[in-house]
Amino acid sequence: MATAPDASAASLKSTPLHALHKELGARMVPFAGYEMPVQYPAGIIAEHSQTRTAAGLFDVSHMGQAVLRGDDPAAAFERLVPGDISGLAPGAMRYTLLLNEAGGILDDLMVTRPGEPGTDGEIYLVVNAAGKDADFAHIGEQLTGIATLERAEDRALLALQGPQAAAVMARLAPASGDLVFMRAAAMTVGGIDCFVSRSGYTGEDGFEISLAAEAAEDFARRLLAEPEVEPVGLGARDSLRLEAGLCLYGHDIDATTTPVEAALVWAVAKARRDGGGFPGADVILEQIANGAARRRVGLLPEGRAPVREGAAICDSDGNEIGQVTSGGFSPTLERPIAMGYVTTAFAEVGTEVVVNLRGRTLATTIAAMPFVEANYYRGN
Amino acid sequence: MSERKYTDDHEWVDLDGDIGTVGITDYAQEQLGDVVFVELPDIGKALAKGDEAAVIESVKAAAEIYAPVDGEVTEVNAALNDDPSLVNADAGGKGWFVKLRIADPSALDDLMDDAAYSAYVEGLN
């Protein structure tokens, strides 16, 4: 059996929950420069199901948190992203994309305009771990003179995800019940000062909780003491987000994919489509008007063998029409699922294609995403 | 049956006459995580030592099982098609992959015995 060698742990960073992960029996792996839990003893399928049926606690402290300050940081940030950031109401958050001049995606991120007194002139950013140094350097440089970026290195980030997450949070933070999907507020949770958003990367209802690094372990222990909550590692985080049809940066989107190709047109705000004024606007607005040559799609291969990133997607004559960018086994559907890019002519849901797997071809159908219906809380 | 032998790729082989049963070790199944699919070879296929004998897919990744010695596939564990999680539940028993007719059983002499394999795994931790 061949397994990938682990990189030396010596050069890896750790999150404030590192000792707790080890105590819980996590298998630690290198990820984006950090030593992170890929799974706990329960295993990926059990952790996945835990999150779909009860509540899972994820350590996502490796992600990059920062505050952008200025006279009008939202307007400033719009120079770098195609989202309507100025239109964000206090306490609202939005998914957006850092773009390059060719319209390629440098990273995907969450932007929040805090609603608390004294936060005028601030927006809060959460970017991917792998790109955070480059992202923050880029933002700082591009916005020199109009906004200042301050990294929140002293903050941990936890995600509590699943249909019972709200009940758990209601016990510790009654104010959490006022949040709906993509809203955020400062509140105390079990007596600890936190900044809580109703958001996540699993397709489930849930929360992401930013708090002081030194409070993170006590806080995590408190959540894990709740009967509905179990720890969940990066392995299940990946299978959950794939079922939810959410992109993994560096795999499903990167500097060579545009938002139109990536089927993320919805992240190019209507309010930004006339004026442009974001990097790559000429390319992206042209693609919105006339279409792009390829598109990100969902893929359902027949049988039980998962197809993996890099596998060629072909038409029935064997001509290559694209590639798989994420693939795995869906614990919820108990079948393989994948996403990838295909030539636009093949992108319609229901189109039959084939995927090459170890010298064989697997009949595969272009499928709508998400693969598993989202369960976000949008209010009663 | 002779003593179980191990490769440094974490496969085990039990030899009975000239038939060797091949599986992966408990250490290996733990490293792989939840197994969701196993691709088994065709019966009759001739394998040289180091050839791919089977592919194991876990939720996260694919891993190959290599033939520990030269041999011809005489049987595959069809139960894994219905329940690939047998590899996790009983790696050293019901989770076996293939049986090989081994032309030269003395080739197994080069593999590790139980004590040597235990020491080898110890050294990886």
Side-chain angles (χ1 to χ4, degrees):
Chain A
M1 197 193 82
T3 48
D6 281 11
S8 160
S11 58
L12 294 172
K13 290 182 276 190
S14 56
T15 75
L17 298 186
H18 190 264
L20 178 60
H21 297 315
K22 294 224 155 176
E23 181 186 316
L24 293 169
R27 172 134 44 91
M28 306 297 285
V29 298
F31 181 83
Y34 284 78
E35 196 182 19
M36 296 297 290
V38 66
Q39 66 168 81
Y40 299 87
I44 292 175
I45 291 178
E47 293 166 28
H48 183 111
S49 302
Q50 171 73 25
T51 309
R52 287 270 180 258
T53 58
L57 181 66
F58 302 73
D59 179 13
V60 288
S61 301
H62 56 316
M63 298 187 78
Q65 303 180 64
V67 175
L68 188 67
R69 287 195 179 84
D71 290 338
D72 190 345
F77 198 54
E78 283 191 355
R79 295 184 183 199
L80 306 181
V81 301
D84 178 11
I85 311 303
S86 293
L88 268 181
M93 76 190 293
R94 190 157 282 167
Y95 174 84
T96 194
L97 304 164
L98 271 181
L99 297 173
N100 66 25
E101 290 301 329
I105 300 170
L106 295 173
D107 205 357
D108 60 343
L109 68 151
M110 288 289 185
V111 188
T112 307
R113 186 197 292 276
E116 282 65 37
T119 59
D120 282 357
E122 292 184 1
I123 57 173
Y124 164 65
L125 311 178
V126 180
V127 305
N128 285 300
K132 65 183 178 180
D133 292 338
D135 290 352
F136 290 150
H138 172 75
I139 295 166
E141 262 163 43
Q142 294 292 315
L143 303 184
T144 301
I146 52 172
T148 315
L149 188 100
E150 185 186 330
R151 292 180 66 154
E153 307 270 22
D154 55 348
R155 305 284 287 181
L157 190 65
L158 275 63
L160 184 70
Q161 301 279 295
Q164 293 173 9
V168 171
M169 285 294 282
R171 241 172 264 149
L172 300 173
S176 66
D178 297 335
L179 295 176
V180 295
F181 183 55
M182 298 299 269
R183 293 277 159 167
M187 63 186 72
T188 60
V189 185
I192 296 171
D193 287 332
C194 296
F195 189 70
V196 178
S197 66
R198 198 147 193 171
S199 62
Y201 192 48
T202 61
E204 292 297 329
D205 183 23
F207 301 85
E208 291 189 328
I209 303 151
S210 171
L211 74 168
E214 65 266 21
E217 187 177 324
D218 279 350
F219 182 75
R221 286 184 191 278
R222 193 161 323 182
L223 286 176
L224 290 169
E226 299 295 321
E228 300 92 338
V229 182
E230 296 291 340
V232 179
L234 291 181
R237 184 170 163 83
D238 190 51
S239 54
L240 288 158
R241 71 89 196 168
L242 183 56
E243 286 185 346
L246 299 170
C247 292
L248 176 59
Y249 191 81
H251 301 260
D252 308 305
I253 49 176
D254 61 29
T256 71
T257 59
T258 70
V260 182
E261 294 168 339
L264 297 173
V265 174
W266 54 271
V268 183
K270 294 274 184 334
R272 306 293 309 279
R273 291 187 191 183
D274 288 337
F278 53 87
D282 50 342
V283 174
I284 290 167
L285 296 176
E286 193 275 332
Q287 288 186 350
I288 289 174
N290 302 315
R294 59 178 181 155
R295 205 167 105 203
R296 183 176 62 95
V297 294
L299 299 162
L300 285 174
E302 69 166 14
R304 284 187 64 91
V307 299
R308 304 293 183 180
E309 180 177 2
I313 306 170
C314 298
D315 66 13
S316 53
D317 297 328
N319 304 305
E320 184 164 335
I321 56 165
Q323 277 203 339
V324 174
T325 53
S326 282
F329 190 83
S330 161
T332 304
L333 303 175
E334 296 189 307
R335 58 161 302 150
I337 57 173
M339 60 172 88
Y341 283 79
V342 294
T343 308
T344 304
F346 294 87
E348 200 171 317
V349 169
T351 306
E352 299 292 334
V353 297
V354 300
V355 172
N356 291 345
L357 177 74
R358 297 188 281 272
R360 293 185 292 118
T361 57
L362 288 181
T364 298
T365 308
I366 306 294
M369 291 190 285
F371 295 102
V372 173
E373 202 182 332
N375 185 32
Y376 302 131
Y377 177 74
R378 299 180 192 273
N380 289 315
Chain B
M1 199 169 350
S2 60
E3 188 195 9
R4 180 169 286 192
K5 295 294 189 112
Y6 300 86
T7 72
D8 52 12
D9 290 325
H10 307 283
E11 288 126 8
W12 55 262
V13 194
D14 284 342
L15 190 67
D16 188 1
D18 63 347
I19 301 296
T21 305
V22 179
I24 62 168
T25 66
D26 205 47
Y27 173 85
Q29 71 78 17
E30 248 180 52
Q31 294 295 311
L32 277 171
D34 296 320
V35 173
V36 296
F37 177 78
V38 177
E39 187 169 296
L40 297 164
D42 294 332
I43 290 169
K45 187 174 184 183
L47 298 172
K49 178 181 176 174
D51 282 357
E52 184 183 296
V55 178
I56 320 174
E57 298 270 5
S58 71
V59 179
K60 274 203 77 63
E64 290 84 32
I65 308 285
Y66 303 114
V69 290
D70 296 356
E72 181 194 325
V73 178
T74 59
E75 199 179 334
V76 298
N77 186 0
L80 297 181
N81 293 328
D82 296 330
D83 186 7
S85 72
L86 282 174
V87 178
N88 297 115
D90 191 9
K94 288 180 186 148
W96 64 277
F97 292 92
V98 295
K99 292 184 193 286
L100 301 175
R101 175 168 293 118
I102 298 171
D104 175 18
S106 71
L108 291 178
D109 296 347
D110 298 340
L111 304 182
M112 288 178 271
D113 63 12
D114 197 68
Y117 178 70
S118 296
Y120 173 67
V121 167
E122 197 67 24
L124 297 176
N125 291 328

